Amino acid sequence: MRAELLVQIRRRYRSGFEVAAAWHQSLDPATVTVLFGPSGSGKTTLLRCLAGLERPDDGRIVLGEEVWFDAATGRHLPPQRRRIGFLFQEYALFPHRTVAGNIAFGLAHLSRAERRRRVAELLALFELEELAERYPHELSGGQQQRVALARALAPHPRLLLLDEPLAALDGPTRDGLRRKLRRWLHTLNIPAVIVTHDWLEASTLGQQVIVLASGRVLQQGPVEEVFSRPASTRVADIVGVETVVPGEVLNIAGGLARVAVGSATLTAVAPSELNGRVYVCIRAEEVTLLPAPPEATSARNRLRARVVHVEPEGALVRVELDAGFPLVALVTRPSCDELQLAPGRSVWALIKAPAIHLVPR
Ligand code: ADP
Ligand code: MG
């Protein structure tokens, strides 16, 4: 038996909207598939089909040896028999239950002692011990989200479905929780399908990504491949990060990391708990091009680069560079003319340290 989740579904609404997608992912070791796309692209619909809350019009869903859905035989396993952990966009906790009570919700089948042990385990894992007796309205957004995750994971689900799990949180809380979520998924070895439209979330959490728009799969594959080599300008637009390259952290000092990438060395703001191997992510509009070496600038990264390819993209121009590693810049048409950008031309690329995002790999 292959420990795999196999998904091949098509769901059509009466309105005429149709979404179709197919993928498979390993359950052991557990992997994460990210459904990525703008609002209205069908991400939540796919997740609801996996949960059994929505019945596809066509296809199959198989987890390991268990058939959850098969249009050919009419089989449709109800949600409660799929043993999934589901976190909807609005992660409503039960307002009249404490944190511990919320986490214990799906554990009615356990004995009292077992239930208590499991709740304690999750309180510890999600750093909620101090908050166990509080009620949801006494918690911050980030704390509520941790409780919601703990509740979803308490009954040992075989698959975790998360719909924009961090979208409602503010920046710093989201940054912290994103990295923790990655660690929890890894520690617990729980396979997951995660919906997001945030590329940083996708690349931090996922192994494979499926880019959707208007119900269509535009591209799918390993995260770093899809994000660094979008198959079309539409995907590049949706994804919004054009440079994703493997790098190696050389050292971290004063909150800054020096990272070897190709033949270049970059300076980036270092997130905590970073080890050696990373993906270096840079959005094309964060790259400034100059004809000559800059005199004085606050940008930590000044790279000599050679233009490889120039391609108009609406009002802008996409410039592919060799900066010791493949780097993409986005400039306006007048800038492109002023700089006389053409293959072979030598330029300087400036990137500020905070514009370089490091994602563990
Ligand atoms: P996303 O999660 O990517 O924002 P959704 O899956 O929620 O997208 O919605 C995709 C499309 O399907 C939207 O146009 C939405 O209006 C429509 N839709 C969602 N749920 C239903 C439903 N129950 N009945 C009819 N149309 C729906
Ligand atoms: Mg949605």
Side-chain angles (χ1 to χ4, degrees):
M1 179 198 108
R2 296 191 63 177
E4 266 196 335
L5 169 68
L6 271 157
V7 183
Q8 187 220 319
I9 41 181
R10 190 173 60 78
R11 174 79 177 110
R12 187 186 171 84
Y13 290 124
R14 255 183 307 210
S15 60
F17 177 86
E18 181 175 298
V19 58
W23 76 88
H24 55 99
Q25 69 189 81
S26 160
L27 301 175
D28 196 17
T31 58
V32 175
T33 296
V34 171
L35 304 177
F36 192 92
S39 170
S41 52
K43 306 181 298 293
T44 296
T45 303
L46 290 176
L47 222 50
R48 288 174 55 83
C49 286
L50 279 171
L53 299 167
E54 196 86 58
R55 193 186 171 114
D57 295 288
D58 209 354
R60 267 162 72 76
I61 303 172
V62 183
L63 184 108
E65 288 184 318
E66 205 173 275
V67 178
W68 283 2
F69 173 77
D70 190 350
T73 61
R75 183 176 168 81
H76 177 72
L77 201 67
Q80 64 276 16
R81 291 191 41 210
R82 296 190 184 192
R83 276 191 43 209
I84 39 169
F86 200 143
L87 201 60
F88 288 97
Q89 253 160 309
E90 54 297 326
Y91 41 88
L93 296 173
F94 301 112
H96 302 298
R97 282 175 174 252
T98 60
V99 166
N102 266 277
I103 297 173
F105 176 73
L107 304 178
H109 59 289
L110 298 182
S111 74
R112 236 180 121 89
E114 280 174 326
R115 189 158 60 231
R116 197 170 294 155
R117 185 153 9 99
R118 183 71 184 143
V119 170
E121 228 172 77
L122 283 146
L123 287 171
L125 180 65
F126 288 87
E127 295 158 36
L128 291 165
E129 289 124 313
E130 322 263 275
L131 308 174
E133 296 313 316
R134 290 219 197 153
Y135 288 88
H137 73 270
E138 300 171 310
L139 303 174
S140 72
Q143 290 166 341
Q144 287 185 29
Q145 189 64 326
R146 266 149 55 203
V147 178
L149 273 166
R151 186 179 63 181
L153 287 166
H156 288 296
R158 288 180 295 185
L159 179 67
L160 186 63
L161 305 174
L162 304 179
D163 198 347
E164 311 212 11
L166 308 176
L169 303 172
D170 58 50
T173 312
R174 189 160 63 213
D175 288 348
L177 215 48
R178 189 194 303 118
R179 285 193 292 272
K180 281 187 183 152
L181 183 53
R182 174 189 163 91
R183 211 180 51 221
W184 290 327
L185 290 172
H186 189 77
T187 312
L188 298 168
N189 198 35
I190 296 239
V193 180
I194 302 180
V195 164
T196 181
H197 56 243
D198 175 351
W199 66 267
L200 197 49
E201 214 165 293
S203 50
T204 303
L205 300 175
Q207 277 87 47
Q208 70 172 328
V209 64
I210 299 176
V211 181
L212 290 154
S214 313
R216 291 257 154 77
V217 173
L218 299 182
Q219 191 175 355
Q220 69 187 81
V223 170
E224 71 279 8
E225 185 184 302
V226 173
F227 284 9
S228 59
R229 291 197 292 280
S232 62
T233 52
R234 182 113 185 270
V235 173
D237 249 17
I238 290 171
V239 164
V241 56
E242 290 79 1
T243 297
V244 182
V245 282
E248 194 85 34
V249 175
L250 302 173
N251 60 57
I252 298 180
L256 294 178
R258 291 180 33 86
V259 187
V261 187
S263 62
T265 304
L266 300 177
T267 301
V269 173
S272 54
E273 16 164 321
L274 201 67
N275 60 2
R277 288 149 51 85
V278 289
Y279 286 113
V280 175
C281 308
I282 307 166
R283 302 190 59 167
E285 53 265 62
E286 306 273 17
V287 181
T288 305
L289 298 183
L290 295 172
E295 307 234 314
T297 167
S298 67
R300 300 310 309 161
N301 298 287
R302 286 155 254 190
L303 305 164
R304 196 168 191 142
R306 196 172 48 80
V307 176
V308 175
H309 184 70
V310 177
E311 193 167 305
E313 209 177 281
L316 299 172
V317 179
R318 177 186 159 94
V319 186
E320 294 176 18
L321 302 146
D322 177 358
F325 62 95
L327 176 69
V328 179
L330 211 52
V331 300
T332 60
R333 286 185 181 226
S335 300
C336 181
D337 295 342
E338 273 165 39
L339 291 164
Q340 299 170 356
L341 297 178
R345 175 119 165 98
S346 173
V347 291
W348 286 78
L350 297 192
I351 316 165
K352 294 185 170 193
I356 299 181
H357 299 272
L358 304 179
V359 169
R361 81 179 142 105

